[in-house]
Amino acid sequence: MKQITHEFLVENGLILFETIVGSQAYGTQTPTSDIDKKFVYILPQDYILGTGYVEQINVDKDYVGWEIRRFLELMGSNNPTVLELLNSPEDCIVSKHPLFDDIIAHKDDFITKICKDSFGGYARQQIKKAKGLDKKQNWEKDKVTRKDVLDFVYVIEGKKSIPWKVWNTRYNEKFCGVVNVPNARDLYAVYFDVDANNCFNEKIPEHMREVAKAWRKEEGESMGFGYKGLVKTGEGANAAESNQLRLSSIPKGQTPICNVIYNKDGYTMHCKDYKEYQEWLENRNEARYVETQEHGQRIDGKNMMHCMRLIRMAQEIGAGKGIIVRRPDAQELLSFRRGEVDLTNLIEMADQAIEEMDNIFDNSDLPNKVNPELVNNLLVKIRKEFYGIS
């Protein structure tokens, strides 16, 4: 058995239908748009009777074909891609075998209420992703800076909590010691080692530090208590780091400089969000992102364009208008792709359109599903005629 390739299918007259799909068919193409093609083929009879069945061929990511049985199965499930293929604009059709006219003649019989989920369901998923994207866009605008543990530490003063980084204008964190306050979750007492600070703080002139060290050595005193500081230092923004404050052993008789509360949960959530943001930055398709004209927010314009297209096509299907591939609203859809409407407004428009779509299908007289006999009868008829079986 020869390998089934597109070239083999063409050479043996096995292509039943081939058409240009995607933006060229929708009328939303740009100068950089690829030309995507889909096709339907029929296998030689021996491949059907034997073990050589091949239900799909991927020439490349933009050039895909289905064997007639698989194609009709997808039609029966109201798959948007194959339904659009069956309703291709005439100027997009590359080739068509006369037998394929039997399927085209029944194209309206494949439209059912399932389209609400097959077209609209995809759009719902994209809106959900877009809402997550909106969160990441806000990261991009406001939270791109990686925060550290101390950004989530607050000094308690009476009824107020003051960010540690705002409150602390005097104390070097390296010479601070922290201990838990008993019976108080996330509450800590902070101590400051004056002697260690005087001996080792590089912000103090060197000659003064040397004097302090010499005096303590002469008196037989230690150079400090060896406090560990509030947090680990020198780890780097991308290094693995603890989400805990560093606890020290505090000698008796020492007086805390303050009490602090550490929002550990907030820091943990920040790390999770920031990791997701970095992964999103790494994996996103940069070429698909455009800046909105009003405030520079970046959106996946192509994704949002197709999302709105699918919702509107579902509305038209539910209203009994059929599957309109060549979009009469192409220019408006292109404005979404160019970022002329910001993401927040697009999401609001899509949510409203989905609600309208649901109402349309609730009142639609479309059948609930495709008649399975239609799929079977078309497949048997086409195979018999193509193979010359009486």
Side-chain angles (χ1 to χ4, degrees), residues 22-41:
S23 60
Q24 308 286 340
Y26 306 138
T28 58
Q29 72 271 21
T30 68
T32 59
S33 293
D34 296 327
I35 297 179
D36 302 343
K37 292 181 181 180
K38 298 285 189 290
F39 58 94
V40 182
Y41 60 94

Side-chain angles (χ1 to χ4, degrees), residues 101-117:
D101 286 329
D102 290 337
I103 299 177
I104 293 177
H106 289 278
K107 66 180 182 180
D108 291 340
D109 296 326
F110 284 97
I111 299 175
T112 74
K113 289 184 177 179
I114 297 175
C115 290
K116 171 187 168 183
D117 294 321

Side-chain angles (χ1 to χ4, degrees), residues 213-308:
K213 290 177 185 178
W215 181 85
R216 297 193 67 77
K217 184 176 181 180
E218 183 178 335
E219 294 294 322
E221 300 285 345
S222 70
M223 300 296 173
F225 298 126
Y227 293 165
K228 296 179 180 179
L230 271 70
V231 294
K232 290 184 179 181
T233 57
E235 297 255 345
N238 296 318
E241 61 182 33
S242 171
N243 63 350
Q244 306 281 358
L245 295 181
R246 299 188 76 180
L247 301 182
S248 296
S249 178
I250 310 297
K252 290 183 178 181
Q254 300 302 305
T255 302
I257 58 174
C258 65
N259 288 332
V260 299
I261 188 167
Y262 167 42
N263 183 3
K264 178 182 173 182
D265 292 341
Y267 176 68
T268 301
M269 182 59 68
H270 164 79
C271 293
K272 177 178 178 292
D273 287 343
Y274 192 80
K275 180 182 178 182
E276 289 180 0
Y277 169 71
Q278 292 297 322
E279 291 173 350
W280 172 71
L281 281 180
E282 182 178 351
N283 297 324
R284 70 179 179 178
N285 183 342
E286 189 69 25
R288 288 176 58 155
Y289 285 79
V290 295
E291 290 190 358
T292 56
Q293 294 183 358
E294 291 188 5
H295 54 64
Q297 184 184 26
R298 307 185 80 213
I299 69 171
D300 185 343
K302 184 175 181 180
N303 182 71
M304 291 308 299
M305 174 185 72
H306 286 307
C307 181
M308 292 301 298

Side-chain angles (χ1 to χ4, degrees), residues 47 92-93 125 174 209 268 311 326 368:
Y47 287 73
C92 289
I93 297 174
Q125 292 175 4
K174 289 198 301 183
R209 283 182 276 143
T268 301
I311 297 171
R326 180 62 52 77
N368 291 324

Side-chain angles (χ1 to χ4, degrees), residues 296-364:
Q297 184 184 26
R298 307 185 80 213
I299 69 171
D300 185 343
K302 184 175 181 180
N303 182 71
M304 291 308 299
M305 174 185 72
H306 286 307
C307 181
M308 292 301 298
R309 173 186 61 79
L310 283 165
I311 297 171
R312 290 176 177 179
M313 289 182 71
Q315 289 177 335
E316 293 161 357
I317 291 168
K321 298 178 181 179
I323 297 175
I324 304 172
V325 175
R326 180 62 52 77
R327 300 307 304 159
D329 54 347
Q331 292 307 308
E332 183 184 10
L333 292 173
L334 283 169
S335 74
F336 300 155
R337 178 170 184 162
R338 292 190 295 265
E340 294 173 8
V341 181
D342 68 73
L343 184 59
T344 301
N345 287 341
L346 271 176
I347 290 173
E348 290 177 356
M349 290 174 62
D351 281 339
Q352 182 178 353
I354 286 175
E355 184 177 346
E356 293 173 357
M357 176 194 73
D358 289 339
N359 291 333
I360 290 172
F361 272 92
D362 286 343
N363 296 290
S364 173

